[in-house]
Amino acid sequence: MICVDMHCDSVAEALKTGRDLARRSQQGHTDLPRLRQAGIKLQFFALFPERAYCPGRTLYQVLRLLDYASETLGEEAGAMMIATRRDLEQCLATDKIGALLTIEGGEPLEGEVRILRVLHRLGVRGLGLTWNNRNELGDGVDESRSGGGLTRFGRQVVREMNRLGMIVDVSHLSEAGFWATLELSRAPVIASHSNCMAIRDHPRNLTDRQIKAIAQQDGLVGVNLVPQFVGPPGAGPSSLIDHIDHICELVGDDYVGFGTDFDGTDELISGVRDVTDLPVLIEALRDRGYSEASIGKICGLNCLRVLRSVLPEK
Ligand SMILES: [Zn+2]
């Protein structure tokens, strides 16, 4: 089975705490040896410029994170960067772990599409347009009351990402921004780490209408292991499966995957300590009666479909 995780903040966490993602650690939620143990074949690594670098120093921090990622997620460590469809197919034919670099929040672009193109040249293949706050691209969920969606620059960025073959990520975006993005994007859009509002009422989660719209455009929702987004205190794997169930009932099993948020949160749902507990979640899907075919799609095949449709060929 091919397992893919569409969101972790491990690069920022590791650079900050000084651990090496190529080596097994007791700290944090993931590293390459633990990803291998968990059976994750492809990991999206979000480069997240922490709030301390906002405003003004986010590009600096993203470049540092990018350098750290290329240093620790290289071929010697048994990983390979995924920038094209050819890389993806090559990776699937080896025992390497694929690393796909994304950026969480468009601040580092500094209002300039040229910076997006440079970051793309450096290997970045996805962008979460905003974090919770407002930036040059649009409003995050914390600004939802403004009714603001995407700015003119935000629209320019989505169009350029479509042209370059970058994955547009709407997690953290305000609802108005969400609809503007879906209307504009010619490629499938992902919500890399968001759950269902119908199951857990939280501004970071998606309404049924939003989930249907993502599915209609052949995109994907990655369910997230942050306790507040999953359920009441003490929520565990079974509560997470409730979110997957809900998406499957709403739109079928082709539009849901995992976006764990490992190392982006101090707390995880109960029963999960780090990435090596991924099998617990797969077992919970089996217990809930999911077929092996369905589990295969949810764990990775759905995401491979999106990558094959969005990434540049070579
Ligand atoms: Zn996030």
Side-chain angles (χ1 to χ4, degrees):
M1 185 161 55
I2 297 165
C3 293
V4 181
D5 176 18
M6 293 191 282
H7 190 84
C8 78
D9 286 311
S10 308
V11 172
E13 195 273 344
L15 180 63
K16 192 168 144 185
T17 59
R19 70 188 175 98
D20 180 351
L21 290 176
R23 290 165 190 274
R24 182 180 289 270
S25 164
Q26 306 294 327
Q27 280 179 288
H29 298 145
T30 70
D31 45 52
L32 290 174
R34 281 186 282 176
L35 285 168
R36 197 174 290 284
Q37 184 187 333
I40 290 194
K41 179 66 185 167
L42 174 61
Q43 176 69 54
F44 288 30
F45 287 95
L47 309 176
F48 179 56
E50 293 141 295
R51 297 305 95 180
Y53 297 95
C54 287
R57 301 232 301 163
T58 57
L59 179 58
Y60 158 87
Q61 180 61 3
V62 157
L63 292 174
R64 291 180 74 223
L65 292 169
L66 197 52
D67 180 67
Y68 182 74
S70 9
E71 200 174 76
T72 56
L73 303 172
E75 304 261 343
E76 286 156 49
M80 75 177 274
M81 291 291 173
I82 306 293
T84 64
R85 272 184 272 163
R86 193 165 64 179
D87 296 340
L88 178 65
E89 304 310 334
Q90 249 172 34
C91 176
L92 293 175
T94 66
D95 64 353
K96 293 205 165 73
I97 293 176
L100 191 128
L101 299 180
T102 69
I103 293 175
E104 186 165 22
E107 282 84 349
L109 307 185
E110 299 191 358
E112 176 60 75
V113 160
R114 289 190 188 283
I115 306 281
L116 175 76
R117 285 198 284 265
V118 171
L119 292 167
H120 173 264
R121 267 186 217 116
L122 293 174
V124 175
R125 285 298 178 270
L127 172 69
L129 303 180
T130 68
W131 194 61
N132 293 333
N133 55 294
R134 167 177 296 171
N135 66 20
E136 291 92 341
L137 285 70
D139 279 359
V141 286
D142 283 352
E143 296 294 343
S144 284
R145 273 189 299 178
S146 69
L150 286 189
T151 61
R152 207 153 44 96
F153 177 61
R155 291 170 178 275
Q156 213 185 335
V157 167
V158 171
R159 280 193 288 263
E160 188 64 3
M161 286 176 74
N162 281 169
R163 194 184 69 80
L164 293 168
M166 293 178 75
I167 298 152
V168 179
D169 186 352
V170 294
S171 280
H172 288 281
L173 196 57
S174 69
E175 189 165 352
F178 173 95
W179 292 113
T181 305
L182 265 84
E183 198 183 308
L184 192 63
S185 180
R186 286 181 285 101
V189 162
I190 67 166
S192 66
H193 58 303
S194 295
N195 295 343
C196 308
M197 188 93 81
I199 303 292
R200 176 69 170 170
D201 190 1
H202 189 287
R204 275 280 286 106
N205 289 345
L206 301 165
T207 66
D208 288 356
R209 263 187 77 215
Q210 288 180 302
I211 294 165
K212 283 182 187 161
I214 289 174
Q216 239 152 38
Q217 291 182 218
D218 217 24
L220 192 56
V221 177
V223 293
N224 182 300
L225 272 55
V226 179
Q228 305 93 283
F229 308 160
V230 175
S238 160
S239 303
L240 186 75
I241 308 304
D242 292 343
H243 290 268
I244 295 178
D245 265 353
H246 185 74
I247 298 172
C248 290
E249 276 164 26
L250 213 56
V251 293
D253 63 3
D254 292 312
Y255 309 105
V256 58
F258 286 106
T260 59
D261 221 346
F262 283 135
D263 289 319
T265 171
D266 291 333
E267 272 189 84
L268 296 166
I269 55 169
S270 72
V272 178
R273 286 156 308 168
D274 66 8
V275 68
T276 60
D277 285 325
L278 182 77
V280 173
L281 304 178
I282 298 173
E283 217 32 59
L285 283 169
R286 287 201 182 101
D287 288 347
R288 199 62 77 86
Y290 280 80
S291 67
E292 290 306 308
S294 243
I295 294 173
K297 287 192 205 178
I298 295 165
C299 286
L301 296 180
N302 289 341
C303 185
L304 294 187
R305 179 195 75 231
V306 172
L307 291 175
R308 284 175 176 137
S309 129
V310 176
L311 290 180
E313 165 133 41
K314 51 190 177 178

